[in-house]
Amino acid sequence: MKTLLLTLCVFLLGSSPSFGDELSKIMLGQLTVEHLHNPIQLDQPMPRLSWKILSDDETTRNVVQKSYQVLVASRPELLSGEKADLWDSGVVESDQSVLVPYEGKTLTSRQTCYWKVRVTDNHGRRSGWSNVGTWSMALLDPADWSGSQWIGLKEDTRDSDLACRWSLTLKKSLRSHPSPLLRKDVSLDKVIRKAIAYVSGVGYADFYINGQKVGDAVLDPGQTNYGQHTLYVAHDVTDSLQTGTNALGFWLGNGFYGQNIGFDGKFGYGQPSVRAKIFIKYADGSTDEIVTDESWKATVSPTIFDNVYWGETYDARQEIDGWAQPELDDSDWQTAVQKEPPCPDNRLRPQLLPPIKEVQRLQPVSIKEVAPETWLFDFGKNIAGWVEMEVSQDPGDVIEILPAEVLDKVTGRADQRTYGGAPGRPYELYHVCKGGGSESWSPRFTYSGFQYVEISGLKNPPTKDSVTAVFVRSDVKRTGSFECSEDLLNEQYAASLLSLEGNWHSLPEDCPHREKCGWLGDAHATADLSLFNYDMNTFYLKYIRDIEDSRRKDGRLRRVRPKSAGVPTMVAPGKRANRIANIDWGVAYLILPWRLYVHTGDAEAFRSRFDHVKDFLAYYRTYRNKQGVIDNGLGDWCPPRWDRKQAPEYMECHPYVSGTAFYFQALHIASQMAQVLGDDRYSRQCLEEAEEIKTVFEKVYLQPIKDSDLKHYGSQTATVMALKLGMVSKDDTDDRVEGLVHDINGLHDGHHACGIHGLRHLYTVLAEQGRDALAYEMLADTAFPSPGYVLSCGLSTWPERRWEWKKERYYRNSFNHPMNGGFAAFMHESLGGINPDPASPGYKHFYLQPRLTAQLAWASASTESPYGVVRSEWKTEGDMFRWEIEIPVNTTATVRIPCSPNAELWENGRQVKDASPATDSRGEQWFELKLGSGIFRFEVRRQKVAE
């Protein structure tokens, strides 16, 4: 086998061109700092730099960076030569091109740095200098905020009945906190060279200069545990300010900070307020500062009610024309008052995750009048956000907007039962018309999940152009793709991504219409799916900090780790469901940073908090019972037909079984983290305990399957987890796989019986164990409870629970829960065959091995690694298998090409004459190659593989 690999590598990699070869060049692009492109608010004193290497000739292969040189300067002109005043790394012999730490002079608050890089490769070629990248430091010292205050509204002067709503749970009328407008005129008498504004608003703060909103973000800044840390946003406002008089304004909303009525008033933190500071540098070199303080003016806004769970009311008759324009007569406004800070100054942190934006606009696919002056709009798919409507009505007319995920099966009207009763009342939007012509409106400080919208009070029939759905989410960049010959699998993939996207509002939510909570179990179930398809770096780093900030402790933890700050809670951030987590939810605190590291190579997500990982294991170790397994777990959530009113033990997989498996996984992750951090002793301790857990798991949970001579661990989920996590010995693997297959075919008529934990790995495990045909049959099936059945019911996102809706529609639970789409990582892992290597993270080395090549005609998958695009595109035509792959520069891949006996391997039109298939332990045959970078076009002429 070694001879075969060597022969193939020599053939495929080719010879190296000599130094100075002008036929091909290497180029540099996509410069990032801390995963960001030209950021202006970095709080890392020693930021890490990354670049990607490109070649203009795809025939040149096996390109590896040999050395690099980085220059960092305080002014761009200082980079014109080959030296710089802040840092010259010199020529560093290294292949590291990702997360290279800056090692130059100490950087200060608001300092701007300019940098470039050049490299040499293993073929003797040297790149030119890259384009110049930049970064600017944030406010690194709490004293940088000096002079500014948290300010807000003193007196609530709302006098409208619509400022109140009736609580169905408390049986009384409640008011949201007011939504204030704040403003101030400032005079600037010099030419402005640079102006940066730093704005922290709680809950949400829209910033205006001279009548124009600054930036295109909405629902900004993102939600946090406000008492632990609060985000601020940096804006370059150089072009917004002018010499002369300028008006500065803020429009504040409650967001999750002013959560005084929905669910429970105890979940709130206080009334909306804002703190801001603008640093101005003039052309003559002098500087100035503008701060929020009690010299500002304040009044109530036309948003007379806003709550993220109950909706919003806007009275257009109360609009103040030119409120953010210079020289407004604001003599009747209140004086702004100083507010209590949400957190200490040293816990104000820059917002580095992508802001929430309007990402897509949808026209209705149908409009139907369902009652007098009441119209139902169907937007074709279940999204999150709001509607923007244009109407022409009389003054004082009230337009009611009711979003919904589903329609009542009897009346055909919008049905909000999937929103649940827990928030205390329905989610409703009201617009009070100003009259006098056309006016348009959309909510500002609230959002919801919906496919349908029912609008009442319209005196004129609407058109498709008069009401638009606006998809609103964190603007996380899409970086992956998948498509195959089976349309139903493509639909499952699309539903999984749409469910993810609709639940990103500065954190991974469980549903965008009802709870809007960051449940930890939901987050880790979808981690790999997210990382294959999106740039999750800063989004996950923020959420991991949210989990850290949410930690709690109890007497059990104090006994084993008395100095610990706590262990994870069920939900982060926020005050709802913030009890100490069951292990299968809390384990997200390990899974998320580890999977982020595997996909990106960034160990900082766990490096600084590894003591907390030890706290986690010490705490849940106390749940080991006399048998040695873990008596803790919430369970394999939402298996088919499961009613949560039943006790958890009625799940086919008892919560303690999956809880023990997750504890085993946590031990392995902690061991690997410890190895990365150089703590070999702790790593060994974790592995030793993991072996103990493996032994007792087998002893306690392995059981015969009724009416068969097979065994498994009592359920599909337990068996899938044991196989995926490495809890089954090599000698027993085939038997456990047979037990799993029997459970699927013999006990469940060819269907899954898993909730979110088992479903995440079910199809991947089947493919890894050579059961491609069964995995395909299950995914291509449309009978209950398959994924195909769910989509055959007309859904575009994954519902929280699976019921036989074609017999009786079941509306009580959410219809947009991404946790149930975590299995779609299978599309990359198995169909595309793309898998990162934990031992060489961030795709420095990775694996390519496609599955289901006998069941599908073709498949295409890609993901954007830190080094460039990883791509896998294959198709089967008769006895011919063709596969084109792309391996980025500065990486390597182990490639396994499926084949049959006596197959011939060709690459780019040339036969590899000495190649012969290797057979794995299951009898499947592959050509196995170790390849460097390049685009490879393989062709296998083979006998057709039997299904």
Side-chain angles (χ1 to χ4, degrees):
M1 186 64 184
K2 291 182 179 179
T3 303
L4 169 62
L5 293 180
L6 178 60
T7 301
L8 293 176
C9 287
V10 170
F11 169 76
L12 293 171
L13 300 181
S15 59
S16 301
S18 61
F19 180 82
D21 184 357
E22 297 299 328
L23 295 179
S24 60
K25 299 178 181 178
I26 52 171
M27 301 163 289
L28 303 177
Q30 300 186 45
L31 274 60
T32 59
V33 185
E34 291 296 329
H35 307 291
L36 299 167
H37 178 69
N38 294 341
I40 63 171
Q41 72 279 32
L42 283 188
D43 60 349
Q44 295 291 336
M46 307 292 279
R48 297 164 301 161
L49 316 178
S50 303
W51 55 89
K52 292 180 181 177
I53 306 170
L54 310 172
S55 176
D56 69 351
D57 182 1
E58 69 173 48
T59 65
T60 302
R61 296 170 170 175
N62 193 29
V63 178
V64 178
Q65 177 182 291
K66 196 71 173 176
S67 69
Y68 68 81
Q69 182 179 9
V70 175
L71 299 181
V72 183
S74 58
R75 301 193 308 277
E77 60 269 22
L78 295 178
L79 290 177
S80 59
E82 296 187 4
K83 291 186 178 181
D85 63 331
L86 293 179
W87 185 42
D88 179 354
S89 70
V91 175
V92 179
E93 297 291 327
S94 171
D95 66 351
Q96 185 177 2
S97 59
V98 173
L99 301 173
V100 174
Y102 167 83
E103 297 178 346
K105 295 180 181 178
T106 301
L107 303 177
T108 58
S109 294
R110 301 184 292 109
Q111 182 173 0
T112 299
C113 302
Y114 303 85
W115 71 288
K116 65 181 182 180
V117 60
R118 67 180 177 187
V119 305
T120 60
D121 72 3
N122 57 322
H123 294 280
R125 301 174 299 179
R126 186 172 71 181
S127 74
W129 287 105
S130 68
N131 291 332
V132 175
T134 69
W135 81 83
S136 296
M137 303 306 293
L139 304 182
L140 304 179
D141 189 329
D144 294 328
W145 287 96
S146 63
S148 64
Q149 300 173 345
W150 288 94
I151 62 172
L153 184 70
K154 178 180 181 180
E155 183 181 357
D156 181 1
T157 59
R158 292 173 295 173
D159 57 4
S160 171
D161 292 340
L162 293 175
C164 305
R165 294 194 184 179
W166 184 259
S167 170
L168 298 176
T169 52
L170 299 179
K171 307 300 182 184
K172 64 179 180 179
S173 184
L174 300 175
R175 291 165 70 91
S176 68
H177 295 308
S179 164
L181 299 175
L182 299 106
R183 73 177 310 278
K184 179 178 182 176
D185 283 350
V186 296
S187 181
L188 306 176
D189 57 3
K190 298 180 182 180
V191 176
I192 300 166
R193 175 183 292 170
K194 192 77 171 178
I196 303 291
Y198 301 88
V199 177
S200 185
V202 290
Y204 298 133
D206 286 349
F207 180 29
Y208 286 79
I209 295 180
N210 298 327
Q212 299 296 316
K213 182 182 172 184
V214 176
D216 58 355
V218 298
L219 305 173
D220 207 32
Q223 180 189 359
T224 62
N225 293 293
Y226 295 101
Q228 293 296 318
H229 84 273
T230 298
L231 299 177
Y232 64 86
V233 181
H235 299 281
D236 187 332
V237 295
T238 307
D239 295 334
S240 300
L241 294 171
Q242 60 192 14
T243 302
T245 302
N246 295 266
L248 308 178
F250 293 102
W251 194 333
L252 306 184
N254 283 292
F256 291 91
Y257 184 81
Q259 190 47 255
N260 64 318
I261 53 179
F263 279 100
D264 187 327
K266 297 177 182 178
F267 294 161
Y269 297 81
Q271 296 187 21
S273 62
V274 66
R275 186 179 192 180
K277 192 168 185 178
I278 305 176
F279 294 85
I280 301 172
K281 186 173 185 178
Y282 295 109
D284 64 3
S286 60
T287 61
D288 201 355
E289 297 177 0
I290 303 171
V291 298
T292 49
D293 56 22
E294 292 175 303
S295 67
W296 285 60
K297 291 295 197 73
T299 191
V300 294
S301 77
T303 301
I304 58 175
F305 179 94
D306 73 289
N307 181 273
V308 291
Y309 292 107
W310 285 10
E312 189 167 316
T313 301
Y314 184 87
D315 191 340
R317 299 170 300 176
Q318 298 187 26
E319 291 177 347
I320 303 171
D321 291 338
W323 74 271
Q325 295 280 10
E327 301 179 357
L328 175 79
D329 181 3
D330 56 13
S331 58
D332 60 344
W333 287 38
Q334 304 174 33
T335 298
V337 295
Q338 186 171 352
K339 295 287 187 178
E340 286 294 319
C343 67
D345 287 355
N346 65 352
R347 295 184 181 175
L348 275 171
R349 294 169 176 160
Q351 177 167 278
L352 300 178
L353 80 160
I356 301 171
K357 293 185 179 182
E358 298 181 357
V359 298
Q360 186 182 9
R361 288 177 169 257
L362 292 80
Q363 287 190 319
V365 297
S366 70
I367 304 174
K368 180 188 301 184
E369 187 173 16
V370 292
E373 299 187 355
T374 302
W375 298 80
L376 179 70
F377 299 78
D378 178 358
F379 291 98
K381 61 181 181 180
N382 197 7
I383 64 169
W386 49 66
V387 293
E388 181 176 284
M389 68 175 185
E390 185 173 348
V391 297
S392 182
Q393 304 252 157
D394 295 331
D397 283 354
V398 178
I399 308 296
E400 179 183 2
I401 303 171
L402 189 74
E405 292 188 294
V406 296
L407 300 179
D408 184 274
K409 65 178 182 179
V410 176
T411 67
R413 298 186 61 173
D415 188 334
Q416 278 198 349
R417 276 178 288 176
T418 70
Y419 282 49
R425 67 163 291 117
Y427 180 95
E428 298 155 315
L429 304 168
Y430 294 95
H431 176 77
V432 184
C433 298
K434 179 167 57 177
S438 178
E439 54 189 296
S440 62
W441 178 75
S442 61
R444 183 181 292 267
F445 298 125
T446 184
Y447 65 96
S448 182
F450 66 95
Q451 175 174 335
Y452 307 95
V453 172
E454 191 170 296
I455 303 181
S456 302
L458 297 177
K459 293 184 176 178
N460 300 306
T463 68
K464 288 190 174 183
D465 295 326
S466 61
V467 179
T468 303
V470 184
F471 195 172
V472 175
R473 64 168 174 87
S474 294
D475 191 24
V476 180
K477 179 184 176 184
R478 176 79 177 272
T479 57
S481 67
F482 170 79
E483 190 176 10
C484 73
S485 57
E486 176 59 65
D487 288 341
L488 187 54
L489 271 63
N490 296 333
E491 292 171 14
Q492 293 170 24
Y493 174 76
S496 299
L497 297 199
L498 184 59
S499 301
L500 283 177
E501 293 178 356
N503 282 278
W504 285 338
H505 299 95
S506 77
L507 58 109
E509 297 165 318
D510 63 329
C511 55
H513 50 284
R514 185 179 73 206
E515 296 187 67
K516 309 181 185 189
C517 288
W519 289 90
L520 272 64
D522 304 46
H524 75 68
T526 58
D528 282 298
L529 174 65
S530 302
L531 288 161
F532 276 124
N533 286 285
Y534 300 90
D535 180 356
M536 300 299 294
N537 289 285
T538 56
F539 188 88
Y540 271 161
L541 287 170
K542 182 265 184 186
Y543 183 63
I544 292 165
R545 176 171 275 171
D546 289 335
I547 299 174
E548 179 182 358
D549 284 349
S550 301
R551 289 173 299 150
R552 300 189 68 177
K553 51 189 174 183
D554 60 8
R556 183 187 291 264
L557 180 63
R558 292 187 184 97
R559 287 192 293 272
V560 294
R561 299 282 283 188
K563 296 182 179 180
S564 170
V567 290
T569 53
M570 294 296 291
V571 167
K575 297 183 179 182
R576 182 168 182 267
N578 63 344
R579 65 175 176 83
I580 287 179
N582 295 87
I583 187 170
D584 37 9
W585 262 243
V587 74
Y589 193 51
L590 280 71
I591 292 176
L592 286 177
W594 179 249
R595 297 310 297 172
L596 183 63
Y597 168 73
V598 169
H599 281 268
T600 71
D602 191 350
E604 293 308 307
F606 59 81
R607 187 186 303 278
S608 62
R609 42 183 72 92
F610 190 62
D611 281 346
H612 306 162
V613 171
K614 294 180 178 180
D615 293 343
F616 178 95
L617 291 175
Y619 178 78
Y620 291 102
R621 186 177 294 119
T622 66
Y623 285 94
R624 288 190 67 176
N625 63 20
K626 293 180 180 179
Q627 294 174 301
V629 293
I630 301 293
D631 281 354
N632 187 283
L634 188 63
D636 189 30
W637 208 241
C638 294
R641 291 194 185 93
W642 177 64
D643 186 347
R644 67 180 298 176
K645 293 180 181 179
Q646 295 177 336
E649 53 264 28
Y650 286 105
M651 295 178 177
E652 289 194 38
C653 181
H654 192 284
Y656 295 173
V657 181
S658 53
T660 302
F662 275 119
Y663 184 68
F664 176 88
Q665 183 182 17
L667 287 167
H668 268 275
I669 290 175
S671 174
Q672 292 170 295
M673 288 178 174
Q675 282 188 323
V676 172
L677 302 178
D679 190 344
D680 294 337
R681 180 172 176 271
Y682 189 76
S683 177
R684 288 193 300 272
Q685 290 176 351
C686 290
L687 288 180
E688 289 168 1
E689 186 178 4
E691 283 300 306
E692 294 175 12
I693 295 294
K694 177 179 176 179
T695 300
V696 297
F697 187 89
E698 184 87 1
K699 180 179 178 181
V700 174
Y701 295 128
L702 184 67
Q703 57 187 262
I705 302 175
K706 186 178 180 180
D707 298 327
S708 80
D709 58 356
L710 300 169
K711 295 181 179 181
H712 70 359
Y713 302 99
S715 65
Q716 291 179 20
T717 289
T719 307
V720 165
M721 293 185 73
L723 288 166
K724 184 62 182 178
L725 301 180
M727 303 181 77
V728 182
S729 68
K730 185 176 180 180
D731 291 342
D732 291 332
T733 295
D734 289 344
D735 288 342
R736 302 299 170 264
V737 172
E738 290 294 339
L740 173 62
V741 171
H742 179 79
D743 188 300
I744 293 169
N745 289 328
L747 304 183
H748 292 94
D749 195 25
H751 296 118
H752 78 267
C754 306
I756 64 173
H757 302 324
L759 199 62
R760 160 61 188 96
H761 297 297
L762 173 62
Y763 307 108
T764 300
V765 164
L766 289 173
E768 288 176 345
Q769 298 301 328
R771 303 306 176 114
D772 299 36
L774 179 57
Y776 172 77
E777 289 167 6
M778 296 176 72
L779 288 167
D781 190 10
T782 56
F784 177 84
S786 68
Y789 172 84
V790 176
L791 297 183
S792 74
C793 294
L795 304 185
S796 59
T797 52
W798 297 116
E800 182 179 15
R801 304 193 192 282
R802 296 191 183 189
W803 292 82
E804 295 187 74
W805 296 300
K806 291 180 180 179
K807 295 181 180 178
E808 182 178 356
R809 204 66 182 248
Y810 184 82
Y811 284 156
R812 187 167 63 85
N813 298 109
S814 160
F815 272 58
N816 191 352
H817 254 64
M819 64 183 187
N820 280 317
F823 76 90
F826 168 84
M827 311 305 185
H828 277 82
E829 292 171 338
S830 298
L831 299 185
I834 300 172
N835 284 281
D837 179 1
S840 189
Y843 293 85
K844 184 64 173 171
H845 174 263
F846 56 95
Y847 297 96
L848 291 170
Q849 182 176 6
R851 298 284 186 176
L852 277 69
T853 57
Q855 288 73 35
L856 297 173
W858 58 269
S860 172
S862 71
T863 189
E864 180 78 22
S865 81
Y867 300 91
V869 173
V870 175
R871 181 169 56 88
S872 167
E873 298 180 0
W874 60 263
K875 61 181 177 180
T876 300
E877 297 175 341
D879 292 339
M880 192 80 70
F881 176 78
R882 293 188 174 93
W883 189 21
E884 181 172 312
I885 62 173
E886 184 170 356
I887 301 172
V889 170
N890 212 23
T891 70
T892 59
T894 297
V895 178
R896 293 182 179 134
I897 309 168
C899 61
S900 58
N902 304 315
E904 296 178 350
L905 177 64
W906 293 63
E907 199 283 323
N908 205 26
R910 296 172 60 190
Q911 184 179 1
V912 185
K913 295 183 179 180
D914 296 333
S916 58
T919 304
D920 64 19
S921 60
R922 291 180 302 276
E924 296 180 315
Q925 295 189 314
W926 309 84
F927 291 113
E928 182 170 309
L929 295 72
K930 179 72 176 292
L931 302 179
S933 67
I935 296 175
F936 301 87
R937 298 176 179 90
F938 294 108
E939 187 176 280
V940 178
R941 299 177 182 179
R942 61 179 186 175
Q943 298 176 3
K944 187 175 182 180
V945 178
E947 297 187 16

